Amino acid sequence: SPHMAGWFSRGKRTAARKKSKAPRTKGSMPPTATGSEHDIQSRFIAIIRQVPHPAGQWTFAIPNGFLRTGPMRIRAWREGVLSGVSDLFNPIPIGPHPGQWLEVKTPTGKASPEQRKFMKEMQRLGYRVDVCRSVEELLEAWCDYLQIRIEVET
């Protein structure tokens, strides 16, 4: 399992794992061929849940992306779901930042106008905002914000 040390770093790769660049820990989801935002985010969550830091337990997802049908969209809107809210939130305050928002994108994905507006406003309010395009980028941004290091077995 991952352990803390100061910044994100990677362990040695086995010969069988050299093709994949995704970090893998015991019990984490294997890399997938699709590389969707869901896959990237799911693998990141599987890794940080093993980290012995409060942020490993309290970083959480914002369920916006699955709301595609009319009735579900209306229900979610009535419950307070907002368009453009970033995918993940780390509520641990560090330094001048009251928390960290993480937006997950594929390597070719682009933020919508609503997402750009949300991220700009969160930055104005003092939050750290990171757009990440891989599990590695998520881990680097998360660890950099928390000023921790974790070793990820690969």
Side-chain angles (χ1 to χ4, degrees):
S1 72
H3 59 279
M4 293 179 11
W7 299 109
F8 169 72
S9 67
R10 301 170 63 91
K12 292 183 179 178
R13 294 190 184 283
T14 63
R17 296 260 317 132
K18 284 186 180 177
K19 279 186 179 181
S20 173
K21 301 252 188 241
R24 177 108 183 255
T25 61
K26 184 177 180 182
S28 71
M29 298 175 67
T32 63
T34 62
S36 69
E37 290 176 14
H38 166 80
D39 296 329
I40 294 166
Q41 184 171 320
S42 296
R43 292 194 326 256
F44 169 71
I45 291 294
I47 292 168
I48 68 165
R49 288 294 183 252
Q50 299 176 49
V51 175
H53 185 284
Q57 177 183 359
W58 296 113
T59 297
F60 60 91
I62 309 299
N64 279 344
F66 71 93
L67 304 170
R68 301 286 184 229
T69 65
M72 284 298 290
R73 221 183 337 227
I74 291 168
R75 180 178 179 169
W77 177 76
R78 287 180 179 154
E79 291 177 355
V81 173
L82 297 173
S83 179
V85 174
S86 292
D87 298 304
L88 296 161
F89 183 63
N90 172 2
I92 308 298
I94 301 286
H97 304 292
Q100 177 188 32
W101 289 97
L102 297 159
E103 179 62 38
V104 181
K105 291 291 171 202
T106 63
T108 58
K110 295 184 180 180
S112 70
E114 293 89 0
Q115 289 171 326
R116 288 192 300 274
K117 179 180 176 182
F118 176 82
M119 291 186 285
K120 185 176 180 181
E121 181 64 10
M122 291 302 104
Q123 286 176 320
R124 188 187 71 74
L125 293 171
Y127 289 91
R128 174 158 163 181
V129 176
D130 293 285
V131 177
C132 303
R133 298 179 178 283
S134 67
V135 176
E136 292 86 356
E137 285 185 16
L138 279 166
L139 289 167
E140 288 173 20
W142 190 75
C143 289
D144 180 62
Y145 172 73
L146 294 168
Q147 301 173 9
I148 64 171
R149 176 184 170 134
I150 62 172
E151 297 284 333
V152 178
E153 306 255 341
T154 57

